[in-house]
Amino acid sequence: MPIVVNLDVIMAKRKISSGELAEKIGISQANLSILKTGKAKAIRFSTMEAICKSLDCQPGDILEYQEPDEV
Amino acid sequence: MWNREKSITLSKLCILIFLGLLLAVVVSAPWLTHWFVNFSQAGLQGDQSYFLATIYVGFIPAVYLLYSMLGLLRRIDAGRVFVAENVELLRRISWSCFLGAVIALVSVFYYFPWFFVAVAAAFMGLIVRVLKNVFAQAVELKNEADYTV
């Protein structure tokens, strides 16, 4: 998929673990893992809002469009 | 109290009864066809071997269909309803019905009432095929829902 999830990059910058973030945004670690590994097919606005609030970032920092041959 | 488990158990029981009936028909086919040919007023003397051939060939898709239905019920019982395997099973069930319809249609040449069996089997195959398409769509929707975070 040409949409790349850069959540792990932002998490590393903020020095926050998966468990901690999952707890803060109120989703399971399994779902957070789906998001981090790029397996997710969609993300709810409420989840995005919680992530941006917790990591103090913008949606564009987490999601990035790349041409298919670049991925 | 009636519940989902009991309903599935009843369905399984019905399939096993049909399986038993099917085996009984196949085992007793020589006597059954002999009796039918003599009993019938349609002048079927000499057609007994055709009847036997139809029953024996038709047994294959029929037993496969019942076995597939048991597999489908087993998965539903385990809570795995909208999965790709069930779509595949429904596809196979549908094709078994169509195969049964073809066998019955071929048998029309010696006994016309097989035509009604052919139409019924083809119609059943069509219904299962539509059901398969609905299941395939449901599997896609479920996958999307499962991977929405």
Side-chain angles (χ1 to χ4, degrees):
Chain A
M1 194 150 56
I3 300 291
V4 177
V5 181
N6 292 321
L7 188 60
D8 46 356
V9 178
I10 306 292
M11 282 171 65
K13 280 182 185 170
R14 302 289 189 269
K15 294 187 175 67
I16 186 168
S17 69
S18 292
E20 206 179 330
L21 182 63
E23 199 178 319
K24 269 187 172 179
I25 62 179
I27 64 170
S28 66
Q29 281 206 52
N31 274 347
L32 186 64
S33 171
I34 287 172
L35 190 59
K36 278 173 68 183
T37 51
K39 286 180 187 164
K41 297 207 174 190
I43 179 165
R44 292 189 189 91
F45 278 175
S46 56
T47 308
M48 182 61 92
E49 186 185 326
I51 291 172
C52 290
K53 194 175 173 186
S54 301
L55 297 177
D56 189 26
C57 64
Q58 293 297 314
D61 297 330
I62 296 163
L63 301 179
E64 183 190 348
Y65 173 78
Q66 283 183 9
E67 287 295 332
D69 54 339
E70 289 177 30
V71 180
Chain B
M1 189 74 184
W2 194 251
N3 56 30
R4 193 182 70 96
E5 283 79 21
K6 284 179 183 169
S7 175
I8 289 175
T9 305
L10 178 66
S11 301
K12 277 184 185 170
L13 192 70
C14 288
I15 291 173
L16 290 175
I17 288 170
F18 268 99
L19 206 56
L21 277 175
L22 188 68
L23 288 173
V25 166
V26 166
V27 169
S28 64
W31 301 282
L32 209 62
T33 50
H34 180 75
W35 169 80
F36 182 72
V37 163
N38 289 331
F39 173 79
S40 173
Q41 303 292 310
L44 297 170
Q45 270 74 19
D47 288 343
Q48 191 189 352
S49 53
Y50 292 134
F51 276 105
L52 277 176
T54 301
I55 289 172
Y56 288 144
V57 175
F59 169 76
I60 299 163
V63 82
Y64 185 72
L65 184 148
L66 289 171
Y67 179 75
S68 300
M69 281 167 78
L70 266 182
L72 190 66
L73 282 174
R74 221 175 287 131
R75 283 214 187 89
I76 291 171
D77 201 16
R80 298 177 63 219
V81 183
F82 298 114
V83 293
E85 291 94 330
N86 284 353
V87 176
E88 179 59 26
L89 273 182
L90 282 171
R91 194 180 72 85
R92 288 178 187 184
I93 290 169
S94 163
W95 278 111
S96 299
C97 288
F98 287 129
L99 188 60
V102 169
I103 293 165
L105 203 61
V106 169
S107 305
V108 165
F109 87 93
Y110 70 88
Y111 188 60
F112 184 76
W114 280 118
F115 178 76
F116 302 109
V117 176
V119 171
F123 190 65
M124 191 58 76
L126 192 66
I127 291 173
V128 176
R129 190 156 184 82
V130 171
L131 205 63
K132 184 217 86 168
N133 292 337
V134 172
F135 256 69
Q137 191 68 38
V139 168
E140 265 185 47
L141 286 172
K142 187 184 178 293
N143 279 343
E144 210 157 290
D146 284 350
Y147 286 99
T148 295
V149 179

